[in-house]
Amino acid sequence: MDGPQQGTPTSASPAGPERYRTVNGTAAAAATLILLVLVGEALISVSDWGIYNVVHDYKAGTATVADLEAADSFSRLVSITTLVVWISAGVVFLVWLWRTRVNAELFGGTAAQRRSRSWVVAGWFTPVANLWVPYQVVSDIWKASASRRPVPGGLVMAWWALLVVSTIIGRSVAQLYLSEEITEEGLLRAANLSTLGTVLDAAAGVLVVLIIRRITAWQTQRLVQSAV
């Protein structure tokens, strides 16, 4: 269970009785939920292909209205369940990110962080700024948490690039389903884009789990070292 620990603030650390918070429990929860989201997204891709195939078969006379309804019901179930898990993963990840940001300030001071704490959460929801601000936040936490410097930031950069591209693809798929006229060709395109997005999301998901574990391990190690 996460909890406050006595920190070793630097002279540049923010004023106040802030203490280091262990993030192992939050990190484990965030990583688990993110992996569950990836499973859900894979099922969504399966559902997208299922809808395309059943529509194709229906037009060819080999599927029934009941088949269409079954495919639609499966799609709704998978989408709603994945959305719930996705929101849960996002909330837990932000809690982990906030706590690691506070720890990073205790390690290296606020000067090592390009953005104020408010951007730790707001950066994800502010239009345009959300294209790079969250990356800066995570990158600065990554660098401040490392026991040795400089630390390569390629892992964080690769994760963010994959996430941005997959997000753009996801919005394209949503627009296809929300269009006034959904055609068989549109469903095929949506299924193909959904599969590509799932592959990119899987890669980004694995990388962010690695980032979570690495930052958590670094911060835990530094706490142990400061207590010696």
Side-chain angles (χ1 to χ4, degrees), residues 47-65 67-68 71 182-189 191:
S47 173
D48 289 338
W49 279 107
I51 290 176
Y52 164 72
N53 287 327
V54 76
V55 169
H56 176 78
D57 292 344
Y58 180 78
K59 293 181 69 174
T62 59
T64 65
V65 173
D67 294 325
L68 292 172
I182 300 177
T183 64
E184 183 180 347
E185 292 74 17
L187 291 175
L188 177 59
R189 184 183 178 190

Side-chain angles (χ1 to χ4, degrees), residues 133-144:
V133 170
Y135 163 75
Q136 291 180 330
V137 171
V138 176
S139 179
D140 290 346
I141 293 172
W142 170 272
K143 294 175 183 178

Side-chain angles (χ1 to χ4, degrees), residues 16-204:
E18 288 189 317
R19 294 175 178 270
Y20 176 92
R21 294 183 65 91
T22 57
V23 294
N24 299 76
T26 310
T32 299
L33 287 169
I34 288 171
L35 294 177
L36 289 176
V37 169
L38 298 182
V39 173
E41 292 188 356
L43 290 175
I44 289 176
S45 291
V46 171
S47 173
D48 289 338
W49 279 107
I51 290 176
Y52 164 72
N53 287 327
V54 76
V55 169
H56 176 78
D57 292 344
Y58 180 78
K59 293 181 69 174
T62 59
T64 65
V65 173
D67 294 325
L68 292 172
E69 293 176 346
D72 183 64
S73 296
F74 178 73
S75 175
R76 290 177 183 275
L77 175 62
V78 171
S79 297
I80 293 174
T81 303
T82 301
L83 177 61
V84 172
V85 178
W86 184 87
I87 292 174
S88 301
V91 170
V92 176
F93 175 77
L94 287 178
V95 171
W96 172 84
L97 193 63
W98 181 272
R99 292 179 179 178
T100 55
R101 165 57 188 265
V102 173
N103 292 342
E105 290 181 11
L106 293 174
F107 290 141
T110 56
Q113 307 297 317
R114 283 172 285 184
R115 300 287 175 175
S116 64
R117 284 190 193 176
S118 61
W119 285 106
V120 173
V121 175
W124 295 89
F125 303 100
T126 305
V128 182
N130 57 12
L131 292 175
W132 73 88
V133 170
Y135 163 75
Q136 291 180 330
V137 171
V138 176
S139 179
D140 290 346
I141 293 172
W142 170 272
K143 294 175 183 178
S145 300
S147 55
R148 296 182 180 180
R149 295 183 179 82
V151 58
L155 186 64
V156 180
M157 188 179 298
W159 157 67
W160 187 249
L162 288 169
L163 185 61
V164 170
V165 174
S166 67
T167 300
I168 294 173
I169 292 175
R171 290 177 179 175
S172 298
V173 173
Q175 288 177 354
L176 286 171
Y177 280 117
L178 293 174
S179 61
E180 294 183 0
E181 182 180 0
I182 300 177
T183 64
E184 183 180 347
E185 292 74 17
L187 291 175
L188 177 59
R189 184 183 178 190
N192 282 314
L193 286 175
S194 176
T195 301
L196 176 59
T198 296
V199 172
L200 295 176
D201 278 339

